[in-house]
Amino acid sequence: MPNIITFFNKKGGTGKTSLAFSIAKDLNYPLLSNDDSVIEEIYPKKAKIMDKVQLIDHDVVYDLGGYIDSGIIDIFKGSHAIVVPTTLDINSIKRTINTVMEVYRYCDNILIVVNRVKKDKLAKYKQSLQALEGLGKDIIHLRESEIITNSIHSGKTLTELYGESGLTKSQYKGVFQDYAKIIKWLKKVDEVEEYGI
C-alpha cells in the first residue's frame, strides 16, 4: 500500500510548501501540488505543479493549496497522514482549527505542525496552543530558524542543510531535532497503516 502524505491548510503562509518539499526529498518521494511555487525548480524531475491534482497509487507527498475540490477530497481519503502546518497568530489558529475539522472526516491521522515557534514566546500564545490541543491531534513545534527559508532558496532539505558541516549541526541542532520528530511521526503512521499495528 503506498504511503501518501498530504500537507494542507486553508491558511496560506504557514510554511506548508517548505515542509512538504523537505519531507518529500528526504523520503525520496515525488511532490505534487496544485499551488504555484518553486518546487519544480528546486526538486527537478520529482516535483510537479498540476492544474488538477489527483490521487496516485504510489508513495507521494502532496502540497495542496487552501481550497477543497473533489480531487482533493479523494487525496484526503487516500492519505496515510495529513500534516497541517500553522503559525501561532490568531488568524492561522482559526483557519487551522477549521481545516482540521474539515479534513478529519476523511483521514484521522492528522499532525499539526506549529511552525516558526519562538520558545520564549510560548506563554504569550497559551490560549492559541490550548485551542489546538483541544482538537485531540498530535502537535509538534518547529522552532523558528533560517534553515526553513534556506531550504527553499537552496533546494536542499533540512537534513541536507543540517549535515553540511559541524557548524551547521551546531547552528541547526534544535530545529533539526524538531524536524526529526515530524519524520518519525510520519514513519510511525506508515508502519501502523502497513502492518495494522
Side-chain angles (χ1 to χ4, degrees):
M1 186 165 196
N3 187 18
I4 299 169
I5 302 166
T6 300
F7 284 76
F8 182 74
N9 193 331
K10 294 173 94 176
K11 168 78 172 77
T14 61
K16 178 178 57 66
T17 298
S18 302
L19 281 174
F21 156 70
S22 193
I23 296 286
K25 190 173 180 191
D26 276 341
L27 296 176
N28 195 29
Y29 287 6
L31 175 60
L32 301 178
S33 181
N34 62 350
D35 207 6
D36 192 22
S37 71
V38 298
I39 62 169
E40 291 175 323
E41 289 83 35
I42 64 172
Y43 196 31
K45 299 181 183 172
K46 294 286 264 185
K48 180 88 174 131
I49 297 172
M50 308 165 80
D51 290 331
K52 186 160 177 72
V53 291
Q54 58 188 15
L55 183 64
I56 58 174
D57 194 28
H58 58 78
D59 296 343
V60 64
V61 173
Y62 287 98
D63 170 26
L64 300 178
Y67 55 90
I68 296 179
D69 65 26
S70 60
I72 290 176
I73 291 172
D74 290 340
I75 292 167
F76 292 157
K77 289 177 180 177
S79 294
H80 281 87
I82 297 176
V83 180
V84 183
T86 188
T87 58
L88 286 173
D89 69 87
I90 193 70
N91 194 38
S92 290
I93 297 300
K94 181 178 180 179
R95 297 293 298 229
T96 297
I97 291 169
N98 180 268
T99 297
V100 170
M101 299 301 285
E102 264 191 73
V103 301
Y104 178 71
R105 67 183 99 162
Y106 306 115
C107 174
D108 61 353
N109 292 320
I110 298 172
L111 173 65
I112 299 170
V113 176
V114 182
N115 208 352
R116 301 181 200 121
V117 172
K118 295 179 182 177
K119 297 289 183 185
D120 62 330
K121 305 279 186 198
L122 283 176
K124 176 182 173 184
Y125 296 105
K126 186 176 180 180
Q127 276 188 304
S128 296
L129 289 169
Q130 288 174 336
L132 290 176
E133 290 164 359
L135 293 170
K137 297 295 166 198
D138 291 333
I139 298 173
I140 295 175
H141 295 186
L142 187 63
R143 66 192 79 192
E144 184 171 48
S145 171
E146 64 188 24
I147 194 172
I148 308 293
T149 304
N150 292 348
S151 175
I152 283 289
H153 288 288
S154 69
K156 295 179 181 178
T157 70
L158 274 66
T159 302
E160 291 170 324
L161 290 170
Y162 170 76
E164 284 185 335
S165 70
L167 179 62
T168 57
K169 285 183 179 178
S170 175
Q171 182 180 8
Y172 299 140
K173 181 180 179 181
V175 71
F176 183 74
Q177 289 172 340
D178 299 341
Y179 178 72
K181 290 177 188 175
I182 298 169
I183 297 280
K184 183 178 179 180
W185 187 93
L186 290 168
K187 287 182 176 181
K188 179 181 168 190
V189 167
D190 184 40
E191 288 172 7
V192 168
E193 293 283 326
E194 186 173 344
Y195 301 109
I197 299 171

